[in-house]
Amino acid sequence: MTKLSKLIKTLVMLSAFLTFSILFIIIGYILMKGIPHIKPSLFALEYTTENVSLFPAIITTLIMTFLSLLISCPIGIFTGIFLIEYARKGNKLVETIRLTTETLSGIPSIVYGLFGLLFFVTSLGMGFSILSGALTLSIMILPLIIRATEEALLAVPNNLREASFALGAGKLRTIFKIVLPTAIPGIFSGIILAIGRIVGETAALVYTAGTVPQIPKNLFSSSRTLAIHMYSLSSEGLYTNEAYGTAVVLLLVVIGINGLSSLIAKKLRKGELNG
């Protein structure tokens, strides 16, 4: 191994060590500051100024995540399939879609929030609601899911497609029976990243879903997610300890949802859900 290779290897290992060290320090600080302040009153069914319960925010976070993925995943995955499996190379429409997704993925979330406020909340008359927030988040994570699907499909060897065609299977059958099951782990990696962005989002939801600390009665009710709940508590300056406790719960919710997504991906890959 040359000196240059040794130097590059050392820099790579140092960068990885530095990254994980910062991550562990942040998580350790949150756990140390938040765990002592987690108490039963934080999980009361109704929010009051005395208990500052985060239970309504947990329910809203789960609903918001499910609804956003329900809207964005089918559109994003089918768009990725079209771009890789059906669109011709050099097609202007494909280039336009790719340029659009790359541009949208770099836009700050507050811009999505202002768009959601003007379009969903004001123009369509949905008001500050769960539905306005979920639609805004769906647009925000759509480029991420499209790109993840594209990369996952590109990673599937062409030999599998050719073997399927040689056995007499059609294109649609090859995609859904051979290509997609192989690409599922990559697609779910993108979905897991999207979940992290949904759960941690505040700017876009403040302008669309509102900050009401109650369990939503329907899709047109205004409510707050865990991230907005934590932001509100810390900005008020009266419940800083409870904000740290909320951060710990938020961390656990993200880990739980990601773990569940990974489990579903493994089951789909093994065909357990299809019997």
Side-chain angles (χ1 to χ4, degrees):
M1 186 179 289
T2 62
K3 288 184 179 179
L4 181 60
S5 299
K6 288 182 180 177
L7 178 63
I8 292 174
K9 185 180 178 181
T10 305
L11 287 175
V12 169
M13 293 179 67
L14 188 63
S15 300
F17 175 76
L18 188 63
T19 303
F20 281 108
S21 299
I22 293 172
L23 178 64
F24 286 131
I25 289 172
I26 292 173
I27 292 175
Y29 182 79
I30 291 172
L31 294 177
M32 190 173 61
K33 296 283 286 186
I35 288 177
H37 302 289
I38 294 177
K39 48 194 176 185
S41 60
L42 273 180
F43 300 93
L45 290 178
E46 291 187 4
Y47 171 95
T48 65
T49 53
E50 294 179 354
N51 62 28
V52 289
S53 172
L54 53 80
F55 184 76
I58 293 177
I59 301 298
T60 303
T61 301
L62 295 177
I63 294 173
M64 189 70 75
T65 303
F66 175 76
L67 198 57
S68 301
L69 293 178
L70 187 67
I71 297 169
S72 60
C73 280
I75 300 173
I77 292 172
F78 285 130
T79 303
I81 292 173
F82 168 75
L83 292 175
I84 299 300
E85 303 293 340
Y86 287 99
R88 294 178 181 176
K89 291 183 179 178
N91 189 312
K92 289 186 178 179
L93 175 62
V94 174
E95 293 176 0
T96 304
I97 293 174
R98 285 193 174 130
L99 179 64
T100 305
T101 55
E102 288 173 4
T103 304
L104 288 174
S105 62
I107 294 177
S109 59
I110 194 167
V111 176
Y112 285 100
L114 290 173
F115 168 77
L117 174 66
L118 293 173
F119 186 67
F120 297 119
V121 176
T122 306
S123 299
L124 298 185
M126 293 181 182
F128 292 101
S129 62
I130 296 291
L131 188 58
S132 296
L135 288 169
T136 305
L137 289 180
S138 299
I139 296 173
M140 195 173 74
I141 63 173
L142 197 55
L144 186 61
I145 295 175
I146 292 174
R147 295 297 296 170
T149 305
E150 277 191 272
E151 295 298 329
L153 293 177
L154 283 173
V156 177
N158 276 328
N159 293 342
L160 292 178
R161 295 179 177 87
E162 292 168 0
S164 178
F165 293 145
L167 291 173
K171 187 156 189 172
L172 197 62
R173 188 177 181 83
T174 299
I175 291 172
F176 282 93
K177 292 291 183 181
I178 304 296
V179 178
L180 268 183
T182 310
I184 274 180
I187 296 173
F188 262 81
S189 297
I191 293 175
I192 288 172
L193 290 175
I195 290 172
R197 192 161 185 190
I198 293 169
V199 175
E201 184 54 46
T202 55
L205 292 177
V206 167
Y207 289 111
T208 53
T211 59
V212 177
Q214 293 178 353
I215 296 175
K217 296 177 182 176
N218 53 54
L219 293 181
F220 293 97
S221 299
S222 177
S223 188
R224 62 165 69 165
T225 61
L226 271 173
I228 296 178
H229 184 71
M230 184 178 65
Y231 169 74
S232 300
L233 293 182
S234 60
S235 61
E236 289 170 2
L238 299 175
Y239 308 103
T240 307
N241 293 333
E242 286 78 2
Y244 279 115
T246 304
V248 174
V249 175
L250 179 60
L251 194 63
L252 294 176
V253 169
V254 172
I255 293 172
I257 294 176
N258 287 350
L260 182 63
S261 302
S262 299
L263 185 65
I264 293 172
K266 287 180 182 176
K267 285 186 177 295
L268 284 174
R269 186 172 53 182
K270 294 177 180 176
E272 291 179 10
L273 291 183
N274 295 326

